[in-house]
PDB file of all heavy atoms in Angstrom:
ATOM      1  N   SER A 264      50.268  71.477  23.949  1.00  0.00           N
ATOM      2  CA  SER A 264      49.244  70.500  23.516  1.00  0.00           C
ATOM      3  C   SER A 264      47.987  71.305  23.110  1.00  0.00           C
ATOM      4  O   SER A 264      47.739  72.333  23.816  1.00  0.00           O
ATOM      5  CB  SER A 264      49.010  69.410  24.297  1.00  0.00           C
ATOM      6  OG  SER A 264      48.397  69.877  25.724  1.00  0.00           O
ATOM      7  N   GLY A 265      47.220  70.740  22.125  1.00  0.00           N
ATOM      8  CA  GLY A 265      45.914  71.503  21.762  1.00  0.00           C
ATOM      9  C   GLY A 265      46.052  72.655  20.815  1.00  0.00           C
ATOM     10  O   GLY A 265      45.056  73.262  20.513  1.00  0.00           O
ATOM     11  N   ALA A 266      47.232  72.996  20.401  1.00  0.00           N
ATOM     12  CA  ALA A 266      47.466  74.123  19.621  1.00  0.00           C
ATOM     13  C   ALA A 266      47.463  73.805  18.059  1.00  0.00           C
ATOM     14  O   ALA A 266      46.977  74.588  17.189  1.00  0.00           O
ATOM     15  CB  ALA A 266      48.616  74.873  19.904  1.00  0.00           C
ATOM     16  N   GLY A 267      47.943  72.615  17.747  1.00  0.00           N
ATOM     17  CA  GLY A 267      47.928  72.164  16.401  1.00  0.00           C
ATOM     18  C   GLY A 267      48.837  73.064  15.549  1.00  0.00           C
ATOM     19  O   GLY A 267      49.954  73.554  16.102  1.00  0.00           O
ATOM     20  N   ARG A 268      48.423  73.360  14.359  1.00  0.00           N
ATOM     21  CA  ARG A 268      49.196  74.262  13.421  1.00  0.00           C
ATOM     22  C   ARG A 268      49.282  75.668  13.905  1.00  0.00           C
ATOM     23  O   ARG A 268      50.108  76.345  13.408  1.00  0.00           O
ATOM     24  CB  ARG A 268      48.608  74.151  12.055  1.00  0.00           C
ATOM     25  CG  ARG A 268      48.641  72.776  11.526  1.00  0.00           C
ATOM     26  CD  ARG A 268      49.983  72.326  11.094  1.00  0.00           C
ATOM     27  NE  ARG A 268      50.818  71.902  12.262  1.00  0.00           N
ATOM     28  CZ  ARG A 268      50.608  70.789  12.868  1.00  0.00           C
ATOM     29  NH1 ARG A 268      49.856  69.845  12.448  1.00  0.00           N
ATOM     30  NH2 ARG A 268      51.422  70.498  14.038  1.00  0.00           N
ATOM     31  N   ALA A 269      48.429  76.158  14.807  1.00  0.00           N
ATOM     32  CA  ALA A 269      48.448  77.435  15.369  1.00  0.00           C
ATOM     33  C   ALA A 269      49.635  77.737  16.213  1.00  0.00           C
ATOM     34  O   ALA A 269      49.972  79.018  16.414  1.00  0.00           O
ATOM     35  CB  ALA A 269      47.141  77.634  16.259  1.00  0.00           C
ATOM     36  N   PHE A 270      50.308  76.646  16.618  1.00  0.00           N
ATOM     37  CA  PHE A 270      51.509  76.966  17.520  1.00  0.00           C
ATOM     38  C   PHE A 270      52.546  77.841  16.833  1.00  0.00           C
ATOM     39  O   PHE A 270      53.169  78.621  17.564  1.00  0.00           O
ATOM     40  CB  PHE A 270      52.118  75.506  17.804  1.00  0.00           C
ATOM     41  CG  PHE A 270      53.470  75.676  18.502  1.00  0.00           C
ATOM     42  CD1 PHE A 270      53.483  75.714  19.945  1.00  0.00           C
ATOM     43  CD2 PHE A 270      54.628  75.643  17.904  1.00  0.00           C
ATOM     44  CE1 PHE A 270      54.563  75.790  20.729  1.00  0.00           C
ATOM     45  CE2 PHE A 270      55.839  75.789  18.668  1.00  0.00           C
ATOM     46  CZ  PHE A 270      55.898  75.760  20.063  1.00  0.00           C
ATOM     47  N   SER A 271      52.656  77.709  15.539  1.00  0.00           N
ATOM     48  CA  SER A 271      53.632  78.578  14.832  1.00  0.00           C
ATOM     49  C   SER A 271      53.319  80.026  14.663  1.00  0.00           C
ATOM     50  O   SER A 271      54.148  80.808  14.493  1.00  0.00           O
ATOM     51  CB  SER A 271      53.861  78.002  13.353  1.00  0.00           C
ATOM     52  OG  SER A 271      52.604  78.117  12.617  1.00  0.00           O
ATOM     53  N   THR A 272      52.127  80.299  15.166  1.00  0.00           N
ATOM     54  CA  THR A 272      51.723  81.785  15.193  1.00  0.00           C
ATOM     55  C   THR A 272      51.788  82.303  16.476  1.00  0.00           C
ATOM     56  O   THR A 272      51.578  83.579  16.719  1.00  0.00           O
ATOM     57  CB  THR A 272      50.264  81.926  14.684  1.00  0.00           C
ATOM     58  OG1 THR A 272      49.324  81.395  15.671  1.00  0.00           O
ATOM     59  CG2 THR A 272      49.909  81.192  13.382  1.00  0.00           C
ATOM     60  N   TYR A 273      52.313  81.570  17.542  1.00  0.00           N
ATOM     61  CA  TYR A 273      52.353  81.965  18.967  1.00  0.00           C
ATOM     62  C   TYR A 273      53.780  82.629  19.177  1.00  0.00           C
ATOM     63  O   TYR A 273      54.717  82.179  18.696  1.00  0.00           O
ATOM     64  CB  TYR A 273      52.211  80.828  19.903  1.00  0.00           C
ATOM     65  CG  TYR A 273      50.851  80.276  20.024  1.00  0.00           C
ATOM     66  CD1 TYR A 273      50.693  79.084  20.794  1.00  0.00           C
ATOM     67  CD2 TYR A 273      49.835  80.707  19.215  1.00  0.00           C
ATOM     68  CE1 TYR A 273      49.436  78.465  20.909  1.00  0.00           C
ATOM     69  CE2 TYR A 273      48.495  80.071  19.369  1.00  0.00           C
ATOM     70  CZ  TYR A 273      48.323  79.009  20.160  1.00  0.00           C
ATOM     71  OH  TYR A 273      47.125  78.238  20.267  1.00  0.00           O
ATOM     72  N   ALA A 274      53.730  83.593  20.047  1.00  0.00           N
ATOM     73  CA  ALA A 274      54.976  84.108  20.588  1.00  0.00           C
ATOM     74  C   ALA A 274      55.077  83.197  21.853  1.00  0.00           C
ATOM     75  O   ALA A 274      54.027  82.863  22.531  1.00  0.00           O
ATOM     76  CB  ALA A 274      55.036  85.546  20.882  1.00  0.00           C
ATOM     77  N   LEU A 275      56.331  83.093  22.323  1.00  0.00           N
ATOM     78  CA  LEU A 275      56.585  82.149  23.409  1.00  0.00           C
ATOM     79  C   LEU A 275      57.520  82.782  24.506  1.00  0.00           C
ATOM     80  O   LEU A 275      58.425  83.605  23.999  1.00  0.00           O
ATOM     81  CB  LEU A 275      57.102  80.780  23.147  1.00  0.00           C
ATOM     82  CG  LEU A 275      56.269  79.932  22.057  1.00  0.00           C
ATOM     83  CD1 LEU A 275      57.004  78.837  21.518  1.00  0.00           C
ATOM     84  CD2 LEU A 275      54.917  79.475  22.557  1.00  0.00           C
ATOM     85  N   GLY A 276      57.417  82.457  25.681  1.00  0.00           N
ATOM     86  CA  GLY A 276      58.350  83.048  26.673  1.00  0.00           C
ATOM     87  C   GLY A 276      58.493  82.147  27.916  1.00  0.00           C
ATOM     88  O   GLY A 276      57.828  81.233  28.187  1.00  0.00           O
ATOM     89  N   TRP A 277      59.707  82.410  28.639  1.00  0.00           N
ATOM     90  CA  TRP A 277      60.021  81.798  29.818  1.00  0.00           C
ATOM     91  C   TRP A 277      60.135  82.812  30.869  1.00  0.00           C
ATOM     92  O   TRP A 277      60.718  83.897  30.723  1.00  0.00           O
ATOM     93  CB  TRP A 277      61.473  81.108  29.728  1.00  0.00           C
ATOM     94  CG  TRP A 277      61.475  79.917  28.903  1.00  0.00           C
ATOM     95  CD1 TRP A 277      61.930  79.692  27.638  1.00  0.00           C
ATOM     96  CD2 TRP A 277      61.087  78.552  29.413  1.00  0.00           C
ATOM     97  NE1 TRP A 277      61.898  78.466  27.263  1.00  0.00           N
ATOM     98  CE2 TRP A 277      61.432  77.668  28.340  1.00  0.00           C
ATOM     99  CE3 TRP A 277      60.673  78.025  30.608  1.00  0.00           C
ATOM    100  CZ2 TRP A 277      61.034  76.405  28.370  1.00  0.00           C
ATOM    101  CZ3 TRP A 277      60.282  76.735  30.691  1.00  0.00           C
ATOM    102  CH2 TRP A 277      60.568  75.941  29.556  1.00  0.00           C
ATOM    103  N   PHE A 278      59.514  82.596  32.011  1.00  0.00           N
ATOM    104  CA  PHE A 278      59.503  83.481  33.196  1.00  0.00           C
ATOM    105  C   PHE A 278      59.938  82.567  34.329  1.00  0.00           C
ATOM    106  O   PHE A 278      59.898  81.270  34.343  1.00  0.00           O
ATOM    107  CB  PHE A 278      58.106  83.944  33.470  1.00  0.00           C
ATOM    108  CG  PHE A 278      57.610  85.040  32.519  1.00  0.00           C
ATOM    109  CD1 PHE A 278      57.208  84.611  31.255  1.00  0.00           C
ATOM    110  CD2 PHE A 278      57.731  86.367  32.814  1.00  0.00           C
ATOM    111  CE1 PHE A 278      56.617  85.549  30.335  1.00  0.00           C
ATOM    112  CE2 PHE A 278      57.258  87.253  31.907  1.00  0.00           C
ATOM    113  CZ  PHE A 278      56.747  86.818  30.586  1.00  0.00           C
ATOM    114  N   ARG A 279      60.374  83.228  35.361  1.00  0.00           N
ATOM    115  CA  ARG A 279      60.769  82.474  36.689  1.00  0.00           C
ATOM    116  C   ARG A 279      60.328  83.311  37.828  1.00  0.00           C
ATOM    117  O   ARG A 279      60.345  84.491  37.851  1.00  0.00           O
ATOM    118  CB  ARG A 279      62.265  82.240  36.743  1.00  0.00           C
ATOM    119  CG  ARG A 279      63.110  83.446  36.890  1.00  0.00           C
ATOM    120  CD  ARG A 279      64.643  83.047  36.648  1.00  0.00           C
ATOM    121  NE  ARG A 279      65.455  84.290  36.677  1.00  0.00           N
ATOM    122  CZ  ARG A 279      66.710  84.372  36.154  1.00  0.00           C
ATOM    123  NH1 ARG A 279      67.281  83.172  35.625  1.00  0.00           N
ATOM    124  NH2 ARG A 279      67.329  85.424  36.209  1.00  0.00           N
ATOM    125  N   GLN A 280      60.097  82.579  38.976  1.00  0.00           N
ATOM    126  CA  GLN A 280      59.616  83.165  40.204  1.00  0.00           C
ATOM    127  C   GLN A 280      60.434  82.624  41.395  1.00  0.00           C
ATOM    128  O   GLN A 280      60.202  81.372  41.677  1.00  0.00           O
ATOM    129  CB  GLN A 280      58.224  83.102  40.445  1.00  0.00           C
ATOM    130  CG  GLN A 280      57.668  83.974  41.476  1.00  0.00           C
ATOM    131  CD  GLN A 280      56.233  84.172  41.620  1.00  0.00           C
ATOM    132  OE1 GLN A 280      55.389  83.311  40.991  1.00  0.00           O
ATOM    133  NE2 GLN A 280      55.653  85.197  42.205  1.00  0.00           N
ATOM    134  N   ALA A 281      61.205  83.363  41.960  1.00  0.00           N
ATOM    135  CA  ALA A 281      61.916  82.851  43.169  1.00  0.00           C
ATOM    136  C   ALA A 281      61.074  83.312  44.504  1.00  0.00           C
ATOM    137  O   ALA A 281      60.234  84.073  44.475  1.00  0.00           O
ATOM    138  CB  ALA A 281      63.289  83.533  43.364  1.00  0.00           C
ATOM    139  N   PRO A 282      61.324  82.559  45.500  1.00  0.00           N
ATOM    140  CA  PRO A 282      60.721  82.785  46.740  1.00  0.00           C
ATOM    141  C   PRO A 282      60.672  84.191  47.234  1.00  0.00           C
ATOM    142  O   PRO A 282      61.823  84.738  47.272  1.00  0.00           O
ATOM    143  CB  PRO A 282      61.364  81.831  47.834  1.00  0.00           C
ATOM    144  CG  PRO A 282      61.794  80.725  46.968  1.00  0.00           C
ATOM    145  CD  PRO A 282      62.261  81.377  45.624  1.00  0.00           C
ATOM    146  N   GLY A 283      59.679  84.895  47.447  1.00  0.00           N
ATOM    147  CA  GLY A 283      59.552  86.260  47.969  1.00  0.00           C
ATOM    148  C   GLY A 283      59.848  87.280  46.868  1.00  0.00           C
ATOM    149  O   GLY A 283      59.811  88.461  47.093  1.00  0.00           O
ATOM    150  N   LYS A 284      59.901  86.805  45.584  1.00  0.00           N
ATOM    151  CA  LYS A 284      60.164  87.781  44.459  1.00  0.00           C
ATOM    152  C   LYS A 284      58.978  87.693  43.584  1.00  0.00           C
ATOM    153  O   LYS A 284      58.311  86.801  43.564  1.00  0.00           O
ATOM    154  CB  LYS A 284      61.453  87.352  43.721  1.00  0.00           C
ATOM    155  CG  LYS A 284      62.707  87.397  44.626  1.00  0.00           C
ATOM    156  CD  LYS A 284      63.038  88.862  45.044  1.00  0.00           C
ATOM    157  CE  LYS A 284      64.323  88.810  45.909  1.00  0.00           C
ATOM    158  NZ  LYS A 284      65.537  88.542  44.975  1.00  0.00           N
ATOM    159  N   GLU A 285      58.876  88.714  42.567  1.00  0.00           N
ATOM    160  CA  GLU A 285      57.914  88.748  41.672  1.00  0.00           C
ATOM    161  C   GLU A 285      58.363  87.940  40.424  1.00  0.00           C
ATOM    162  O   GLU A 285      59.520  87.685  40.225  1.00  0.00           O
ATOM    163  CB  GLU A 285      57.671  90.086  41.213  1.00  0.00           C
ATOM    164  CG  GLU A 285      57.026  91.117  42.325  1.00  0.00           C
ATOM    165  CD  GLU A 285      56.704  92.471  41.620  1.00  0.00           C
ATOM    166  OE1 GLU A 285      57.168  92.737  40.527  1.00  0.00           O
ATOM    167  OE2 GLU A 285      56.001  93.161  42.407  1.00  0.00           O
ATOM    168  N   ARG A 286      57.406  87.514  39.613  1.00  0.00           N
ATOM    169  CA  ARG A 286      57.688  86.681  38.489  1.00  0.00           C
ATOM    170  C   ARG A 286      58.458  87.686  37.418  1.00  0.00           C
ATOM    171  O   ARG A 286      57.941  88.760  37.267  1.00  0.00           O
ATOM    172  CB  ARG A 286      56.441  86.140  37.910  1.00  0.00           C
ATOM    173  CG  ARG A 286      56.708  85.121  36.701  1.00  0.00           C
ATOM    174  CD  ARG A 286      55.380  84.372  36.368  1.00  0.00           C
ATOM    175  NE  ARG A 286      54.845  83.755  37.434  1.00  0.00           N
ATOM    176  CZ  ARG A 286      53.679  83.061  37.347  1.00  0.00           C
ATOM    177  NH1 ARG A 286      52.969  82.944  36.106  1.00  0.00           N
ATOM    178  NH2 ARG A 286      53.138  82.476  38.443  1.00  0.00           N
ATOM    179  N   GLU A 287      59.578  87.162  36.812  1.00  0.00           N
ATOM    180  CA  GLU A 287      60.246  87.963  35.957  1.00  0.00           C
ATOM    181  C   GLU A 287      60.489  87.295  34.628  1.00  0.00           C
ATOM    182  O   GLU A 287      60.653  86.025  34.659  1.00  0.00           O
ATOM    183  CB  GLU A 287      61.680  88.371  36.692  1.00  0.00           C
ATOM    184  CG  GLU A 287      62.587  87.216  36.805  1.00  0.00           C
ATOM    185  CD  GLU A 287      63.923  87.580  37.362  1.00  0.00           C
ATOM    186  OE1 GLU A 287      64.241  88.865  37.430  1.00  0.00           O
ATOM    187  OE2 GLU A 287      64.688  86.685  37.733  1.00  0.00           O
ATOM    188  N   PHE A 288      60.566  88.066  33.607  1.00  0.00           N
ATOM    189  CA  PHE A 288      60.927  87.608  32.250  1.00  0.00           C
ATOM    190  C   PHE A 288      62.320  87.138  32.248  1.00  0.00           C
ATOM    191  O   PHE A 288      63.236  87.736  32.622  1.00  0.00           O
ATOM    192  CB  PHE A 288      60.609  88.814  31.281  1.00  0.00           C
ATOM    193  CG  PHE A 288      61.123  88.505  29.903  1.00  0.00           C
ATOM    194  CD1 PHE A 288      60.278  87.903  29.026  1.00  0.00           C
ATOM    195  CD2 PHE A 288      62.321  88.944  29.426  1.00  0.00           C
ATOM    196  CE1 PHE A 288      60.517  87.574  27.735  1.00  0.00           C
ATOM    197  CE2 PHE A 288      62.717  88.745  28.140  1.00  0.00           C
ATOM    198  CZ  PHE A 288      61.753  87.921  27.233  1.00  0.00           C
ATOM    199  N   VAL A 289      62.511  86.003  31.533  1.00  0.00           N
ATOM    200  CA  VAL A 289      63.871  85.423  31.331  1.00  0.00           C
ATOM    201  C   VAL A 289      64.249  85.363  29.869  1.00  0.00           C
ATOM    202  O   VAL A 289      65.404  85.953  29.540  1.00  0.00           O
ATOM    203  CB  VAL A 289      63.963  84.012  31.834  1.00  0.00           C
ATOM    204  CG1 VAL A 289      65.273  83.370  31.535  1.00  0.00           C
ATOM    205  CG2 VAL A 289      63.552  83.786  33.391  1.00  0.00           C
ATOM    206  N   ALA A 290      63.340  84.906  28.950  1.00  0.00           N
ATOM    207  CA  ALA A 290      63.703  84.960  27.595  1.00  0.00           C
ATOM    208  C   ALA A 290      62.330  84.730  26.766  1.00  0.00           C
ATOM    209  O   ALA A 290      61.362  84.221  27.353  1.00  0.00           O
ATOM    210  CB  ALA A 290      64.657  83.829  27.178  1.00  0.00           C
ATOM    211  N   GLY A 291      62.404  85.176  25.588  1.00  0.00           N
ATOM    212  CA  GLY A 291      61.243  85.083  24.782  1.00  0.00           C
ATOM    213  C   GLY A 291      61.482  85.068  23.221  1.00  0.00           C
ATOM    214  O   GLY A 291      62.619  85.408  22.822  1.00  0.00           O
ATOM    215  N   VAL A 292      60.589  84.504  22.465  1.00  0.00           N
ATOM    216  CA  VAL A 292      60.664  84.348  21.034  1.00  0.00           C
ATOM    217  C   VAL A 292      59.459  84.735  20.335  1.00  0.00           C
ATOM    218  O   VAL A 292      58.413  84.367  20.819  1.00  0.00           O
ATOM    219  CB  VAL A 292      61.138  82.933  20.682  1.00  0.00           C
ATOM    220  CG1 VAL A 292      60.102  81.810  21.194  1.00  0.00           C
ATOM    221  CG2 VAL A 292      61.452  82.792  19.125  1.00  0.00           C
ATOM    222  N   ALA A 293      59.613  85.423  19.290  1.00  0.00           N
ATOM    223  CA  ALA A 293      58.529  85.889  18.415  1.00  0.00           C
ATOM    224  C   ALA A 293      58.148  84.753  17.545  1.00  0.00           C
ATOM    225  O   ALA A 293      58.616  83.619  17.518  1.00  0.00           O
ATOM    226  CB  ALA A 293      58.869  87.141  17.657  1.00  0.00           C
ATOM    227  N   LYS A 294      57.090  85.026  16.627  1.00  0.00           N
ATOM    228  CA  LYS A 294      56.640  84.062  15.604  1.00  0.00           C
ATOM    229  C   LYS A 294      57.965  83.722  14.804  1.00  0.00           C
ATOM    230  O   LYS A 294      58.163  82.548  14.603  1.00  0.00           O
ATOM    231  CB  LYS A 294      55.627  84.708  14.717  1.00  0.00           C
ATOM    232  CG  LYS A 294      54.331  84.855  15.360  1.00  0.00           C
ATOM    233  CD  LYS A 294      53.373  85.431  14.343  1.00  0.00           C
ATOM    234  CE  LYS A 294      51.963  85.635  14.974  1.00  0.00           C
ATOM    235  NZ  LYS A 294      51.050  86.361  13.875  1.00  0.00           N
ATOM    236  N   ALA A 295      58.743  84.757  14.419  1.00  0.00           N
ATOM    237  CA  ALA A 295      59.881  84.427  13.703  1.00  0.00           C
ATOM    238  C   ALA A 295      60.898  83.752  14.716  1.00  0.00           C
ATOM    239  O   ALA A 295      61.303  84.378  15.758  1.00  0.00           O
ATOM    240  CB  ALA A 295      60.441  85.739  13.054  1.00  0.00           C
ATOM    241  N   PRO A 296      61.233  82.645  14.446  1.00  0.00           N
ATOM    242  CA  PRO A 296      62.269  81.865  15.357  1.00  0.00           C
ATOM    243  C   PRO A 296      63.611  82.365  15.624  1.00  0.00           C
ATOM    244  O   PRO A 296      64.204  82.115  16.663  1.00  0.00           O
ATOM    245  CB  PRO A 296      62.283  80.488  14.704  1.00  0.00           C
ATOM    246  CG  PRO A 296      62.118  80.703  13.364  1.00  0.00           C
ATOM    247  CD  PRO A 296      61.018  81.812  13.220  1.00  0.00           C
ATOM    248  N   ASP A 297      63.923  83.454  14.828  1.00  0.00           N
ATOM    249  CA  ASP A 297      65.276  84.022  15.131  1.00  0.00           C
ATOM    250  C   ASP A 297      65.052  85.355  15.722  1.00  0.00           C
ATOM    251  O   ASP A 297      66.139  86.114  16.041  1.00  0.00           O
ATOM    252  CB  ASP A 297      65.984  84.308  13.742  1.00  0.00           C
ATOM    253  CG  ASP A 297      65.324  85.382  12.819  1.00  0.00           C
ATOM    254  OD1 ASP A 297      64.084  85.465  12.999  1.00  0.00           O
ATOM    255  OD2 ASP A 297      66.043  85.925  11.924  1.00  0.00           O
ATOM    256  N   SER A 298      63.836  85.727  16.106  1.00  0.00           N
ATOM    257  CA  SER A 298      63.636  87.013  16.938  1.00  0.00           C
ATOM    258  C   SER A 298      63.572  86.604  18.437  1.00  0.00           C
ATOM    259  O   SER A 298      62.515  86.262  18.779  1.00  0.00           O
ATOM    260  CB  SER A 298      62.358  87.696  16.340  1.00  0.00           C
ATOM    261  OG  SER A 298      62.126  88.934  17.145  1.00  0.00           O
ATOM    262  N   ILE A 299      64.646  86.732  19.119  1.00  0.00           N
ATOM    263  CA  ILE A 299      64.701  86.292  20.494  1.00  0.00           C
ATOM    264  C   ILE A 299      65.252  87.372  21.330  1.00  0.00           C
ATOM    265  O   ILE A 299      66.184  88.093  20.946  1.00  0.00           O
ATOM    266  CB  ILE A 299      65.645  85.011  20.557  1.00  0.00           C
ATOM    267  CG1 ILE A 299      65.038  83.946  19.636  1.00  0.00           C
ATOM    268  CG2 ILE A 299      65.749  84.605  21.982  1.00  0.00           C
ATOM    269  CD1 ILE A 299      66.037  82.722  19.468  1.00  0.00           C
ATOM    270  N   ARG A 300      64.716  87.438  22.599  1.00  0.00           N
ATOM    271  CA  ARG A 300      65.126  88.413  23.574  1.00  0.00           C
ATOM    272  C   ARG A 300      65.473  87.748  24.913  1.00  0.00           C
ATOM    273  O   ARG A 300      64.788  86.841  25.311  1.00  0.00           O
ATOM    274  CB  ARG A 300      64.097  89.529  23.656  1.00  0.00           C
ATOM    275  CG  ARG A 300      64.499  90.675  24.616  1.00  0.00           C
ATOM    276  CD  ARG A 300      63.476  91.762  24.582  1.00  0.00           C
ATOM    277  NE  ARG A 300      63.854  92.863  25.396  1.00  0.00           N
ATOM    278  CZ  ARG A 300      63.221  94.034  25.329  1.00  0.00           C
ATOM    279  NH1 ARG A 300      62.085  94.192  24.669  1.00  0.00           N
ATOM    280  NH2 ARG A 300      63.649  94.900  26.198  1.00  0.00           N
ATOM    281  N   TYR A 301      66.398  88.201  25.498  1.00  0.00           N
ATOM    282  CA  TYR A 301      66.817  87.699  26.832  1.00  0.00           C
ATOM    283  C   TYR A 301      66.875  88.706  27.902  1.00  0.00           C
ATOM    284  O   TYR A 301      67.392  89.896  27.598  1.00  0.00           O
ATOM    285  CB  TYR A 301      68.212  86.993  26.822  1.00  0.00           C
ATOM    286  CG  TYR A 301      68.364  85.825  25.845  1.00  0.00           C
ATOM    287  CD1 TYR A 301      68.832  86.032  24.572  1.00  0.00           C
ATOM    288  CD2 TYR A 301      68.105  84.588  26.149  1.00  0.00           C
ATOM    289  CE1 TYR A 301      68.970  85.048  23.786  1.00  0.00           C
ATOM    290  CE2 TYR A 301      68.097  83.527  25.303  1.00  0.00           C
ATOM    291  CZ  TYR A 301      68.615  83.765  24.046  1.00  0.00           C
ATOM    292  OH  TYR A 301      68.690  82.739  23.232  1.00  0.00           O
ATOM    293  N   ALA A 302      66.787  88.423  29.111  1.00  0.00           N
ATOM    294  CA  ALA A 302      66.908  89.374  30.118  1.00  0.00           C
ATOM    295  C   ALA A 302      68.432  89.543  30.324  1.00  0.00           C
ATOM    296  O   ALA A 302      69.184  88.816  29.859  1.00  0.00           O
ATOM    297  CB  ALA A 302      66.397  88.722  31.528  1.00  0.00           C
ATOM    298  N   ASP A 303      68.758  90.714  30.752  1.00  0.00           N
ATOM    299  CA  ASP A 303      70.127  91.034  30.885  1.00  0.00           C
ATOM    300  C   ASP A 303      71.036  89.944  31.506  1.00  0.00           C
ATOM    301  O   ASP A 303      72.125  89.604  31.176  1.00  0.00           O
ATOM    302  CB  ASP A 303      70.442  92.359  31.602  1.00  0.00           C
ATOM    303  CG  ASP A 303      69.956  93.595  30.859  1.00  0.00           C
ATOM    304  OD1 ASP A 303      69.616  93.443  29.584  1.00  0.00           O
ATOM    305  OD2 ASP A 303      69.735  94.685  31.426  1.00  0.00           O
ATOM    306  N   SER A 304      70.500  89.469  32.658  1.00  0.00           N
ATOM    307  CA  SER A 304      71.102  88.356  33.361  1.00  0.00           C
ATOM    308  C   SER A 304      71.319  87.071  32.625  1.00  0.00           C
ATOM    309  O   SER A 304      72.252  86.293  33.033  1.00  0.00           O
ATOM    310  CB  SER A 304      70.506  88.087  34.743  1.00  0.00           C
ATOM    311  OG  SER A 304      69.208  87.472  34.525  1.00  0.00           O
ATOM    312  N   ALA A 305      70.435  86.802  31.737  1.00  0.00           N
ATOM    313  CA  ALA A 305      70.547  85.543  30.951  1.00  0.00           C
ATOM    314  C   ALA A 305      71.327  85.762  29.690  1.00  0.00           C
ATOM    315  O   ALA A 305      71.792  84.680  29.078  1.00  0.00           O
ATOM    316  CB  ALA A 305      69.105  85.101  30.383  1.00  0.00           C
TER     317      ALA A 305
END
């Protein structure tokens, strides 16, 4: 919320943090919606 049309210019990502562990990258997407990257486990 609060981004309006600027949302389409953002890159976005998902992270997760388990108890006792550091926050880790899970998946992300660039401005281009077909440019996607996943962690090996995902």
Side-chain angles (χ1 to χ4, degrees):
S264 61
R268 301 290 73 79
F270 177 84
S271 64
T272 71
Y273 295 174
L275 306 166
W277 286 100
F278 290 77
R279 66 188 175 199
Q280 186 167 25
K284 301 294 184 65
E285 294 186 349
R286 189 172 300 183
E287 65 176 351
F288 173 82
V289 177
V292 59
K294 290 180 181 179
D297 66 336
S298 184
I299 300 171
R300 183 173 182 174
Y301 300 95
D303 289 344
S304 64

